Amino acid sequence: MIKIHDKTLKDLEFFTVLGQVSEHTITTLGKEAVLSILPFEKKDALKLELDYVNEYLSSFDNDNRIPNHGFESINKELKLLKIENTYLEVASLKKLVGISLTANTIIKYLEKLKTYYPNLNRYAHDIEITTAIIEHVDAVVDRFGDIKDDASPTLLQLRQSISKLKGKINSSFSTALTTYHNLEYLDDIRESVVDNKRVLAVKAMYRRKVKGAIMGGSKTGSIVYIEPETTLQYSRELNNLEYEEKEEVIKILKELTDYIRLFLPLLHQYQSFLTKIDVISAKAKYAKGMNAILPEISDEKELMLKDAYHPLLYLTNKEKGNKTYPQTISLNNNSRIIVISGPNAGGKSITLKTVGLLQTMFQSGMLLPVHERSKVCLFDRILSDIGDNQSIENHLSTYSYRLKQMNYFLKKCNKNTLFLIDEFGTGSDPELGGALAETFLEVFYDRKAFGIITTHYSNLKLLANELPHMQNANMLFNERSLEPMYKLVTGQAGSSFTFEVAQKNGIPYSLINKSKKKIERGKVRFDATIAKLQKERSKLERTERSLKENEKKKLSEAEKLEETNVKIQKKLESFQELYDSNQRLIYLGQKVNDISEKYFENKKKRELMAELFRLVQIENSKRKKISAKQKQAEKAKEKQIKQEADKKVEVIRNKKKAAKKKEVVIEKPKPILKVGDRVRMHDGKAVGSIDSIEKNKANVNYGIFTTNVNLDLLELVEAKK
């Protein structure tokens, strides 16, 4: 039997999660069901629920989406069906038809795709599929929500009589209207409607001359509304027929309701089934929103959450566009209890709540936002003591309340318990409270319970270091900026960085130094050692990250080099083919040249032709017969290779030409400027003459003005003659 206390659910903000899940429901009953979710008490039921949610989640990523399960609540109708001699109105009947159609559609669909949704199909398999309710209601009620004329022979007869009688009423009224209008007894409006009946608008002075029933008059009293006597008789008959029609409709609805009453258990099943589907759907949609999965379920006591996110924090940050830091934490028989230490605002409490909330969600049939290689197990009880629990109502201090909680923990804690305690031992004298907390922790340890605690107490950190199945953990801090890195590392206690944080926040160093002298030297050394180890750990973490990044870069570069080598090899092979082809052509050219020289000397045509023919035959014997398409492809390939080679050769030629030009260009000696030379600035157009030269500077006269310019900036236009 699994039991999780209400206080734990509140501490872990489980009900807030339920509120978020309920936003994904589409029915009122589904929303109510989600808000009342509690952890499962039986393991088999829990595993089935997880399978249902996981299967529904998979439907979002394939082409086999489960049909819409929306329905209106039929609780009122179910209550009425339990009462004898009651009948359902048309609106209620349509609701029953709607829920039957929806349930039948989903059950048939799950049966059709049972290979995709085996567990959901098994869940729906025992629910009966029937169209009897739909057919019987459709036989009585039309698509506009009215009772059909042929719902019964009596109703058909009554409605036909009513239709005829209405015709007679209209005819008799029209006759009376014409008669009295000709006698000028009627007002200008001639007629009106009172109580859904057509009446004559008679002038008050002629009311005694018009036979019929007075139905009222105008506000001024100038008009009296009279139903003609001939029409009155037909109206009474119509009232009687309409009453009989109403009675016949009720009779039909009662008969139909009595028939539907036989399906009362099935209708209960339909509503329960669709409500359950709505809950499963909401859980699956919530899981999709935070990339949640179904981790491996271990039969052993083993909890390994890799890259686990706190759902509420993740969704809030996602909405704001902020980053959420995942945590990796593991509990097993070799490491049952973890003591997390370190400075405040580093993420200790969030880590503890993440584990507790994810475990509670899992045991309530929800998927978790963790890495796919995570493992989870079941705990019979989850105990928590998180936050400031000062009880004003019971006049209890925080510490008194915590002691009551510890007493409860001592009664309930065993090997199947997961306990979560935030700021363990606080609320009393540090020495005494720490000693008592240490004793409690030893008891939990001896009972082989699993748990996570956060603390600042050094004795608890030492205890975790000494006991084999307990370990320390800390939240990493940047040793320079003292900013939290929101990453949990196990195997080492965390320093509270008390004095470092104080110094960062502007507390004078003299006061910090004075504070250090007031406490035990050993404790300061211990805390300093932890801080030093933590800094070293941070450095190692950074080094490890850097090495991994370098390794990735090297692998990437190696892959690129490999690709380049393959490309170069292919090009070399292509160029080798081109080279071999060119060599063969050079050889043939040489042979033809030799034969030409021989013919030039002896002028023997027959010998020339014979040698040329022999040469052609030798070459043809080396050729293989290929199709025109293959020949065309080979030529195209050769052409492409030749073009590439020509491009590279052209580049080399251009480089050589450029090099030769550089060799040819001889720099002209710079002219020596003298007084009287006509000169101008390198970047100017105005020409002037040098008046005097002093210390590598010249006074240049431009006629209107003179200027002193560095000789290096001047160029000779015309030397002095």
Side-chain angles (χ1 to χ4, degrees):
M1 182 72 78
I2 299 169
K3 178 68 180 172
I4 300 177
H5 201 277
D6 281 351
K7 182 193 173 299
T8 299
L9 299 178
K10 286 177 185 172
D11 284 349
L12 298 172
E13 298 179 90
F14 177 69
F15 297 114
T16 308
V17 169
L18 292 186
Q20 291 184 344
V21 176
S22 71
E23 290 171 11
H24 295 283
T25 57
I26 60 172
T27 68
T28 309
L29 290 178
K31 186 166 191 171
E32 289 170 6
V34 166
L35 293 173
S36 61
I37 286 174
L38 288 172
F40 282 78
E41 294 185 355
K42 293 182 180 176
K43 293 179 182 179
D44 293 339
L46 169 61
K47 286 180 179 178
L48 265 178
E49 179 76 3
L50 289 165
D51 286 334
Y52 295 155
V53 178
N54 199 36
E55 283 181 6
Y56 205 104
L57 177 64
S58 70
S59 74
F60 299 143
D61 298 322
N62 60 41
D63 296 328
N64 304 306
R65 291 294 289 263
I66 295 169
N68 179 47
H69 57 269
F71 69 96
E72 285 185 77
S73 170
I74 57 168
N75 281 338
K76 188 183 100 177
E77 287 71 24
L78 293 174
K79 285 176 185 174
L80 278 170
L81 287 170
K82 288 179 183 176
I83 304 166
E84 291 296 323
N85 296 321
T86 56
Y87 68 90
L88 298 175
E89 298 287 351
V90 171
S92 294
L93 291 169
K94 288 183 86 68
K95 279 206 276 183
L96 297 185
V97 168
I99 205 167
S100 298
L101 281 168
T102 305
N104 285 350
T105 303
I106 293 175
I107 295 164
K108 284 177 187 173
Y109 186 82
L110 293 173
E111 175 62 32
K112 183 183 171 185
L113 294 167
K114 58 187 174 187
T115 50
Y116 285 94
Y117 312 117
N119 292 295
L120 285 170
N121 176 55
R122 275 195 293 275
Y123 172 58
H125 189 68
D126 296 331
I127 302 171
E128 184 187 346
I129 296 173
T130 177
T131 57
I133 297 170
I134 300 160
E135 287 168 0
H136 275 72
V137 173
D138 283 350
V140 171
V141 182
D142 66 16
R143 61 196 179 95
F144 302 110
D146 298 321
I147 304 298
K148 291 180 178 178
D149 292 346
D150 59 354
S152 77
T154 307
L155 184 64
L156 180 61
Q157 190 181 347
L158 283 168
R159 286 189 174 170
Q160 284 173 347
S161 299
I162 287 168
S163 182
K164 286 176 186 176
L165 202 57
K166 282 181 177 177
K168 287 179 181 179
I169 288 169
N170 285 333
S171 177
S172 63
F173 185 85
S174 296
T175 303
L177 183 70
T178 306
T179 303
Y180 292 119
H181 176 67
N182 291 335
L183 292 170
E184 296 185 354
Y185 291 170
L186 303 181
D187 189 68
D188 291 340
I189 63 171
R190 296 179 67 188
E191 65 174 288
S192 185
V193 177
V194 177
D195 295 336
N196 289 325
K197 292 178 181 179
R198 289 175 76 188
V199 291
L200 298 169
V202 181
K203 293 174 183 175
M205 65 181 77
Y206 300 117
R207 65 183 177 184
R208 295 186 186 279
K209 293 187 178 184
V210 177
K211 292 179 181 180
I214 295 173
M215 305 294 288
S218 64
K219 288 180 182 179
T220 58
S222 61
I223 300 170
V224 177
Y225 299 120
I226 299 172
E227 187 179 5
E229 191 175 33
T230 50
T231 308
L232 195 60
Q233 186 182 348
Y234 291 134
S235 292
R236 288 189 188 122
E237 282 182 49
L238 181 64
N239 287 340
N240 292 336
L241 286 174
E242 284 177 343
Y243 178 77
E244 286 177 36
E245 180 201 18
K246 191 177 178 183
E247 288 295 304
E248 182 61 22
V249 166
I250 290 169
K251 183 185 171 187
I252 292 164
L253 290 175
K254 278 186 176 179
E255 286 174 1
L256 182 57
T257 303
D258 287 340
Y259 177 77
I260 290 171
R261 203 168 265 122
L262 300 171
F263 296 93
L264 185 59
L266 182 62
L267 290 168
H268 269 291
Q269 260 190 312
Y270 282 169
Q271 180 158 279
S272 299
F273 170 69
L274 293 177
T275 303
K276 182 72 174 174
I277 291 291
D278 197 23
V279 172
I280 292 166
S281 166
K283 285 180 178 179
K285 287 172 186 172
Y286 187 66
K288 187 173 175 64
M290 54 185 182
N291 303 316
I293 59 152
L294 175 59
E296 182 187 338
I297 302 171
S298 174
D299 293 327
E300 303 295 324
K301 279 287 174 283
E302 184 182 10
L303 180 70
M304 204 288 279
L305 299 176
K306 186 178 180 184
D307 293 342
Y309 289 94
H310 190 287
L312 301 176
L313 188 64
Y314 176 82
L315 291 172
T316 303
N317 284 344
K318 186 181 176 184
E319 197 177 323
K320 293 178 180 176
N322 296 336
K323 185 181 177 182
T324 308
Y325 296 89
Q327 299 300 341
T328 297
I329 196 163
S330 178
L331 292 174
N332 52 56
N333 286 315
N334 295 322
S335 175
R336 297 194 306 270
I337 299 172
I338 293 177
V339 177
I340 305 175
S341 50
N344 292 327
K348 299 195 304 293
S349 298
I350 284 291
T351 303
L352 178 125
K353 284 182 177 180
T354 301
V355 175
L357 182 56
L358 291 183
Q359 186 64 33
T360 308
M361 285 171 63
F362 168 71
Q363 296 197 192
S364 303
M366 295 186 213
L367 306 186
L368 308 181
V370 294
H371 191 275
E372 58 189 9
R373 288 184 186 167
S374 299
K375 272 187 185 179
V376 286
C377 61
L378 296 174
F379 291 99
D380 291 348
R381 195 178 293 274
I382 299 175
L383 303 171
S384 71
D385 185 12
I386 299 169
D388 182 10
N389 293 301
Q390 191 168 26
S391 176
I392 296 168
E393 297 87 357
N394 300 319
H395 307 287
L396 294 174
S397 67
T398 302
Y399 191 60
S400 298
Y401 188 89
R402 289 206 140 180
L403 286 176
K404 283 192 78 175
Q405 282 292 103
M406 286 306 104
N407 193 29
Y408 179 74
F409 278 33
L410 292 171
K411 288 176 186 175
K412 302 294 181 183
C413 228
N414 59 38
K415 64 179 181 178
N416 293 317
T417 304
L418 174 68
F419 65 87
L420 307 159
I421 307 172
D422 193 26
E423 300 295 348
F424 192 31
T426 55
S428 178
D429 177 88
E431 297 296 329
L432 304 178
L436 195 57
E438 187 177 338
T439 307
F440 287 145
L441 196 55
E442 285 172 345
V443 172
F444 301 151
Y445 180 83
D446 292 338
R447 290 187 185 177
K448 297 184 178 178
F450 290 75
I452 301 171
I453 69 164
T454 68
T455 188
H456 289 287
Y457 284 179
S458 300
N459 62 320
L460 298 181
K461 300 177 194 178
L462 286 169
L463 182 67
N465 203 41
E466 290 164 1
L467 295 174
H469 304 307
M470 193 189 298
Q471 66 172 327
N472 278 302
N474 70 85
M475 304 304 295
L476 279 184
F477 260 67
N478 187 309
E479 74 275 8
R480 291 176 185 168
S481 64
L482 290 178
E483 293 294 328
M485 293 165 71
Y486 302 107
K487 186 174 182 183
L488 180 80
V489 288
T490 53
Q492 181 186 313
S495 165
S496 295
F497 287 105
T498 308
F499 297 122
E500 290 87 344
V501 172
Q503 191 173 342
K504 189 193 173 207
N505 284 284
I507 304 299
Y509 183 74
S510 57
L511 294 179
I512 293 169
N513 207 29
K514 193 175 180 183
S515 302
K516 284 182 181 178
K517 289 175 184 175
K518 286 183 181 287
I519 58 172
E520 295 174 29
R521 192 181 172 198
K523 194 168 183 181
V524 173
R525 285 175 66 194
F526 176 71
D527 199 64
T529 304
I530 291 174
K532 190 177 178 183
L533 285 169
Q534 209 166 328
K535 287 174 183 177
E536 291 298 321
R537 185 67 173 264
S538 297
K539 284 179 184 175
L540 285 171
E541 288 274 337
R542 285 201 303 276
T543 306
E544 187 184 357
R545 279 200 300 274
S546 177
L547 286 170
K548 281 181 180 176
E549 284 173 10
N550 287 336
E551 191 179 352
K552 281 181 184 175
K553 282 179 184 176
K554 283 177 182 176
L555 284 170
S556 177
E557 285 171 6
E559 285 173 6
K560 284 179 182 176
L561 282 171
E562 187 63 32
E563 284 176 16
T564 307
N565 283 337
V566 169
K567 286 178 183 175
I568 289 168
Q569 189 63 34
K570 283 182 180 177
K571 283 192 176 181
L572 282 172
E573 286 171 6
S574 300
F575 289 154
Q576 183 65 44
E577 286 175 17
L578 181 65
Y579 175 77
D580 291 345
S581 176
N582 286 342
Q583 285 296 108
R584 191 172 62 82
L585 292 173
I586 290 165
Y587 168 75
L588 285 173
Q590 190 64 46
K591 278 280 182 186
V592 170
N593 188 53
D594 291 345
I595 293 166
S596 298
E597 278 185 7
K598 200 173 180 183
Y599 173 71
F600 181 74
E601 288 172 3
N602 59 23
K603 304 291 182 184
K604 291 178 181 179
K605 283 187 180 180
R606 189 173 292 176
E607 193 179 325
L608 170 69
M609 296 304 290
E611 285 191 18
L612 279 172
F613 184 66
R614 193 186 308 115
L615 183 64
V616 170
Q617 277 187 319
I618 290 166
E619 283 303 309
N620 283 346
S621 67
K622 295 175 187 176
R623 299 181 197 274
K624 290 178 184 177
K625 281 194 176 183
I626 55 172
S627 65
K629 193 179 276 187
Q630 286 176 319
K631 193 181 279 185
Q632 194 175 353
E634 279 190 9
K635 281 184 178 178
K637 187 181 175 184
E638 283 177 14
K639 189 179 179 183
Q640 189 182 349
I641 295 165
K642 193 173 182 306
Q643 282 175 347
E644 281 187 29
D646 288 345
K647 279 181 187 176
K648 293 194 181 290
V649 169
E650 188 64 30
V651 170
I652 293 163
R653 281 176 183 160
N654 289 338
K655 281 182 180 177
K656 283 183 176 179
K657 282 179 184 177
K660 281 180 182 178
K661 279 182 182 177
K662 281 181 182 176
E663 286 172 12
V664 172
V665 173
I666 299 166
E667 226 178 279
K668 291 180 181 178
K670 202 169 183 181
I672 298 166
L673 300 175
K674 298 174 185 175
V675 176
D677 287 348
R678 289 175 64 74
V679 292
R680 68 176 166 207
M681 301 279 284
H682 287 305
D683 55 350
K685 290 181 180 179
V687 177
S689 60
I690 299 173
D691 285 347
S692 62
I693 298 172
E694 286 179 16
K695 294 181 182 179
N696 208 33
K697 285 191 176 183
N699 285 317
V700 182
N701 188 340
Y702 288 95
I704 303 169
F705 64 94
T706 59
T707 181
N708 192 262
V709 185
N710 198 313
L711 286 171
D712 294 333
L713 299 176
L714 297 172
E715 65 179 21
L716 182 67
V717 176
E718 187 181 353
K720 183 183 177 183
K721 292 177 183 178

